[in-house]
Amino acid sequence: MLSPLTHDDPARIAGYRLTARLGSGGMGTVYLARSAGGRTVALKTMHAGIASDPASRTRFRLETDAARIIGGHHGATVVDADPLAETPWLATEYVLGPPLDDAVTLCGPLPEPSVRALGAALAGALSQLHSSDVVHRDLKPSNVMLTAYGPKIIDFGIAQAAGDERLTRTGAATGTPAFMSPEQATGQEHTPAGDVFALAGVLAFAATGRGPFGTGQAADLLYRVRYAEPDLADVPPPLLPLLIRCLSKDPAQRPTTAQLAAGLHDGHGEFADHLPDLLLADIGRRATEVWQYQPYRLPAPEGTTRGPASGAPALTRRRLLTVGGSSVLGVAAAGAGAWAWLGPKDPGGRTGDGPEPARSSTSASPTASEKPLSDYLWQVQIPPVDDLTLRVYPAADPFPAVLGDHVLLTIGTGLAAVDPKTGKGAWTTGDVEDAWRVTTDGKQIFRIPDHEFFGVEGQVKPLVVDSVDAATGKTAKPRQTFPDFNVLHKEGQLVCCADGMLYLVGGTGGYKRGGYQNGQSWYLVAVDMRSGAERWRRPLPPRKEETDSPHFLAGRVVGNRLVLLQETSAGKVRLTVHDSRTGGPLWSAPATDTEPDLVRNLLTVDDRHVYLGFGPLRALRLADGKEAWTLARSRPDASFGPPSLKDGVVYAVQDKRGLVAVGAADGRVRWEEKGGEGARADLTDPPAAGRKYVYSKGPSGLRRIDVSTHTTTATYKTSGTRFLAHERARVVFALGGPLISAYPWSSRPVVAPAAGCPSSRPSRPTTLWKAQP
């Protein structure tokens, strides 16, 4: 659960902005944090008091290595880390789901199908870990996170290489007594068989709500683990023989992880389908909580004057527009999540051959209480950043952009062009990219290649801009070098490109890890995309030292105007408009009071207006920045999500009411959603608008709203959090978490499998790209 920051918690760590505490223990503190690109992470730090202890530092490094080994499918993906820092830290993905102990507290003992699915997946996770000669040594309910896609194992603080006794004194028991193996309880070597013993205890807890050796003092628990028989009363009888073998005092009598997985489940079906509805709702609530949480800092005790360790003030944000507790971000993800236990020789999953038929709706207008449909046309997994070397790249937040007949993404293995009709990858670059260092006009692609992540303070390396062949993903001509700009500045940015011009941000001055520093100068530059000639250069306002957010959140060119969403040094969002021919400033105005991360890449503009949400829905004149219209005049208390624009109509979701269609020219309401299903619609992403339908997230999934009847005509289960209407392919492209999917665009009927015939849908989404070693 989220807790406020204390008065002496830092505001930032290594460029990550801290927003809340997730927990604290004897070794360190775990924070909820966000990167400059808007990615939410769990950031673990070591207490300063023990950071000088070499053994503690070694444990922290091994924890980082173990987390990388298990990877993002079975664990929390490692986003960034510096175990050699003065205060070591580790940033991983923030897992959207409760720990197993919280889930059992909320829902009671899990039904047998849930326990079997859980056990098979965890056995696969341990198999992957053991294949790298690493044992966990502290598997317990609080270290198992339940997501819609499957369980994830976290906290490798006492993991170690099998047979390595350098960090364990002989005769010393290290771990959690209630879930230790007998050999671990006596300080002997903990082998993979010890993890199997602990897993059986975790499954017994899931099935009964209590551990197999009860509760009490550590000494009592250690005695029972070593000598007493486990209490398996209330365990479903079909599970008893397998769990009894796993809990044998003799490690040689226990099954292997592969045998355990095979005895529990065949790996078919979707993991979310095995979870209780109450648990799925809690996953959705936790997903929503992350965005609704208002960061704040506890005051210092009386007589204490010390502030945050960084000296920066505590961060605040405007409360995100309230949505229902079962946000589509979590609950809809639960419906489309995939799972399977994977052994070490099957890290990527099976691969499909093409699009999959979807099942048709049984109701023309489903209600929010009805179970949404699983009729995606196809669904594939995105590989996470795979980094088993000492070079730790920052995570790139994927963004969908239309690229001719394809969709362009930044994924764990680099840029990728995806066929929206089939989900097949046309190409990938193989280089990890930051989303703000890539831009496209739908025909050409440009990027700032990341030649080196760890620089030397004071070092300067010329910034290079590559042209990427949209057909092959290969580096093409022209390739331009800017000798006075420093490529090591991660805040460098490609803002947008249009009409033969590329607009970028470059900085001069020495590199310093951790963001901007005094002495750097930053410029907005226009470059001819064909010749590489610089057309104009404009200085940018100075940034606060140690911050690291790029200057611009989004950019578009309309006629002779360059329209920019700019994040100020004070963390505010402003609209700034320049003459695209000369760079001369035309006007500037406040855009929204919301957090900058929420409006990244969200800029809606046509040749007359800029359209703004996250508050009142309004239009500013492109000519001078003056307000052309706002719905707040007739609806003073109304709040709207970000808008989208299609054929002269602005679409946005109004808080507690649903989708509203407004004339772009005059601001008059054309129609409002009917049926009451939009009362809890999502307000964080713009609707995806087409000519016949508008797609909007709701508590039950992705809703397809007919522009003629103004009602929801279909609802699709989805894990998507960003949607793109690809009219040429006639699909709605959805991106969210580790999955990309496509949903029907047109009104043609969706064909269901014939009666008595098995569906051709695979038991889990395919994986199309392998992460680079």
Side-chain angles (χ1 to χ4, degrees):
M1 304 300 288
L2 304 181
S3 302
L5 299 170
T6 65
H7 72 282
D8 55 356
D9 281 329
R12 288 179 178 267
I13 293 177
Y16 290 88
R17 186 173 62 205
L18 308 186
T19 60
R21 278 189 169 216
L22 295 174
S24 184
M27 291 291 290
T29 302
V30 184
Y31 298 98
L32 183 73
R34 287 202 175 94
S35 70
R39 181 166 188 171
T40 302
V41 300
L43 193 146
K44 183 174 184 176
T45 65
M46 179 182 286
H47 288 320
I50 61 174
S52 59
D53 175 35
S56 297
R57 279 184 168 270
T58 300
R59 286 197 186 283
F60 197 90
R61 178 179 58 79
L62 292 176
E63 176 179 1
T64 302
D65 291 343
R68 287 177 180 152
I69 288 171
I70 201 167
H73 185 87
H74 296 303
T77 300
V78 175
V79 173
D80 204 349
D82 191 353
L84 303 180
E86 181 178 357
T87 299
W89 57 271
L90 164 66
T92 68
E93 68 169 303
Y94 178 68
V95 178
L96 294 177
L100 177 59
D101 53 349
D102 283 2
V104 172
T105 299
L106 174 68
C107 305
L110 301 183
E112 181 184 344
S114 300
V115 177
R116 286 185 175 275
L118 172 66
L122 291 176
L126 291 178
S127 179
Q128 180 174 326
L129 198 65
H130 297 162
S131 69
S132 299
D133 293 327
V134 175
V135 287
H136 191 281
R137 302 204 310 154
D138 196 21
L139 191 66
K140 56 186 177 181
S142 60
N143 284 345
V144 175
M145 307 295 292
L146 297 181
T147 78
Y149 314 109
K152 291 177 179 277
I153 298 177
I154 62 169
D155 197 349
F156 296 85
I158 64 171
Q160 69 178 41
D164 188 351
E165 296 183 358
R166 289 174 295 172
L167 296 176
T168 305
R169 293 184 294 108
T170 301
T174 303
T176 303
F179 296 94
M180 280 185 181
S181 65
E183 56 270 25
Q184 188 178 10
T186 56
Q188 301 175 44
E189 180 183 0
H190 181 91
T191 66
D195 280 349
V196 170
F197 187 97
L199 175 55
V202 168
L203 297 182
F205 173 86
T208 66
R210 62 180 185 277
F213 299 100
T215 60
Q217 297 296 320
D220 295 334
L221 286 167
L222 292 174
Y223 179 86
R224 292 183 212 134
V225 165
R226 292 169 63 185
Y227 303 113
E229 292 301 316
D231 177 11
L232 298 179
D234 301 327
V235 170
L239 290 174
L240 280 175
L242 192 57
L243 293 188
I244 289 173
R245 285 183 59 202
C246 294
L247 292 169
S248 171
K249 307 297 183 187
D250 182 2
Q253 299 300 316
R254 300 170 198 157
T256 65
T257 51
Q259 292 170 337
L260 178 57
L264 286 169
H265 204 281
D266 59 8
H268 290 100
E270 296 180 350
F271 184 78
D273 293 336
H274 298 86
L275 300 182
D277 290 342
L278 188 58
L279 179 52
L280 295 180
D282 188 56
I283 293 173
R285 181 192 62 78
R286 289 171 183 263
T288 302
E289 181 185 39
V290 174
W291 294 105
Q292 291 183 329
Y293 182 76
Q294 298 183 75
Y296 67 99
R297 190 178 295 273
L298 295 175
E302 291 187 11
T304 302
T305 58
R306 184 175 58 171
S310 68
L315 294 165
T316 59
R317 57 172 279 187
R318 176 183 175 274
R319 180 174 179 82
L320 184 63
L321 304 172
T322 303
V323 296
S326 53
S327 165
V328 69
L329 185 65
V331 173
W339 77 284
W341 63 271
L342 297 177
K345 295 183 181 179
D346 185 21
R350 293 186 291 270
T351 306
D353 295 321
E356 308 157 59
R359 294 190 294 270
S360 60
S361 172
T362 57
S363 172
S365 181
T367 65
S369 62
E370 290 179 317
K371 186 176 181 180
L373 307 173
S374 300
D375 33 5
Y376 51 79
L377 297 175
W378 53 259
Q379 186 175 82
V380 297
Q381 289 176 307
I382 301 175
V385 175
D386 184 14
D387 178 42
L388 299 181
T389 69
L390 293 179
R391 285 172 59 85
V392 182
Y393 295 90
D397 288 327
F399 70 101
V402 173
L403 183 67
D405 291 329
H406 292 83
V407 173
L408 181 68
L409 298 174
T410 56
I411 61 173
T413 51
L415 287 177
V418 183
D419 185 340
K421 293 182 180 179
T422 65
K424 292 183 177 180
W427 52 258
T428 143
T429 61
D431 296 320
V432 176
E433 309 288 352
D434 293 316
W436 61 89
R437 291 157 73 100
V438 177
T439 189
T440 180
D441 61 359
K443 299 177 181 178
Q444 302 180 85
I445 308 168
F446 295 91
R447 68 173 179 178
I448 300 175
D450 205 0
H451 294 305
E452 183 174 339
F453 178 58
F454 292 110
V456 177
E457 290 201 12
Q459 186 178 16
V460 174
K461 287 194 173 185
L463 182 147
V464 175
V465 176
D466 282 344
S467 175
V468 179
D469 189 320
T472 66
K474 304 293 184 182
T475 300
K477 293 181 179 181
R479 189 183 206 203
Q480 302 300 333
T481 300
F482 299 84
D484 55 339
F485 288 157
N486 193 348
V487 72
L488 296 179
H489 293 330
K490 300 297 293 181
E491 300 76 21
Q493 183 178 15
L494 297 185
V495 181
C496 62
C497 57
D499 303 327
M501 299 296 292
L502 173 67
Y503 302 89
L504 62 89
V505 172
T508 65
Y511 163 80
K512 178 182 179 182
R513 188 179 186 192
Y516 299 95
Q517 64 174 327
N518 295 330
Q520 293 174 346
S521 299
W522 292 85
Y523 300 89
L524 175 63
V525 183
V527 179
D528 188 297
M529 291 190 290
R530 289 173 289 273
S531 67
E534 184 176 313
R535 296 304 184 194
W536 52 260
R537 176 183 297 204
R538 290 285 175 176
L540 291 171
R543 304 286 275 179
K544 287 184 178 180
E545 191 167 9
E546 302 297 334
T547 60
D548 62 356
S549 298
H551 281 80
F552 297 106
L553 303 163
R556 289 277 303 279
V557 174
V558 181
N560 293 326
R561 289 179 173 83
L562 173 61
V563 186
L564 301 166
L565 272 182
Q566 184 170 13
E567 181 176 353
T568 69
S569 59
K572 302 296 184 180
V573 182
R574 291 188 68 84
L575 269 169
T576 58
V577 179
H578 296 254
D579 188 315
S580 62
R581 299 163 297 182
T582 65
L586 298 178
W587 57 266
S588 177
T592 175
D593 292 332
T594 198
E595 185 175 334
D597 288 345
L598 293 179
V599 296
R600 193 174 303 279
N601 294 325
L602 299 181
L603 179 57
T604 304
V605 58
D606 60 16
D607 57 357
R608 288 182 292 182
H609 300 133
V610 181
Y611 303 94
L612 301 170
F614 285 110
L617 183 62
R618 58 198 179 106
L620 303 186
R621 289 202 302 259
L622 194 57
D624 55 13
K626 303 299 182 182
E627 187 176 277
W629 54 259
T630 176
L631 288 193
R633 292 172 183 158
S634 58
R635 305 179 184 190
D637 299 324
S639 293
F640 294 83
S644 61
L645 180 66
K646 181 67 177 177
D647 296 336
V649 179
V650 176
Y651 297 96
V653 174
Q654 181 177 344
D655 186 24
K656 298 182 177 64
R657 296 189 65 169
L659 190 68
V660 178
V662 179
D666 53 19
R668 293 182 179 178
V669 175
R670 297 292 192 265
W671 57 267
E672 298 182 66
E673 181 181 346
K674 299 178 181 178
E677 294 165 12
R680 293 189 296 156
D682 183 81
L683 298 166
T684 58
D685 287 286
R691 290 185 174 86
K692 292 185 178 181
Y693 301 103
V694 181
Y695 296 81
S696 173
K697 290 189 296 182
S700 300
L702 178 63
R703 301 178 302 123
R704 189 179 73 186
I705 302 162
D706 192 309
V707 299
S708 300
T709 64
H710 315 154
T711 59
T712 299
T713 58
T715 303
Y716 309 121
K717 288 196 288 188
T718 180
S719 60
T721 56
R722 182 65 59 87
F723 301 92
L724 178 70
H726 199 297
E727 293 192 72
R728 190 178 301 181
R730 302 187 68 79
V731 302
V732 177
F733 189 92
L735 176 70
L739 298 173
I740 54 176
S741 313
Y743 298 89
W745 167 269
S746 69
S747 58
R748 69 183 187 275
V750 181
V751 180
C757 297
S759 170
S760 63
R761 186 182 311 282
S763 59
R764 53 183 169 178
T766 59
T767 301
L768 296 184
W769 306 288
K770 301 296 183 183
Q772 301 296 314

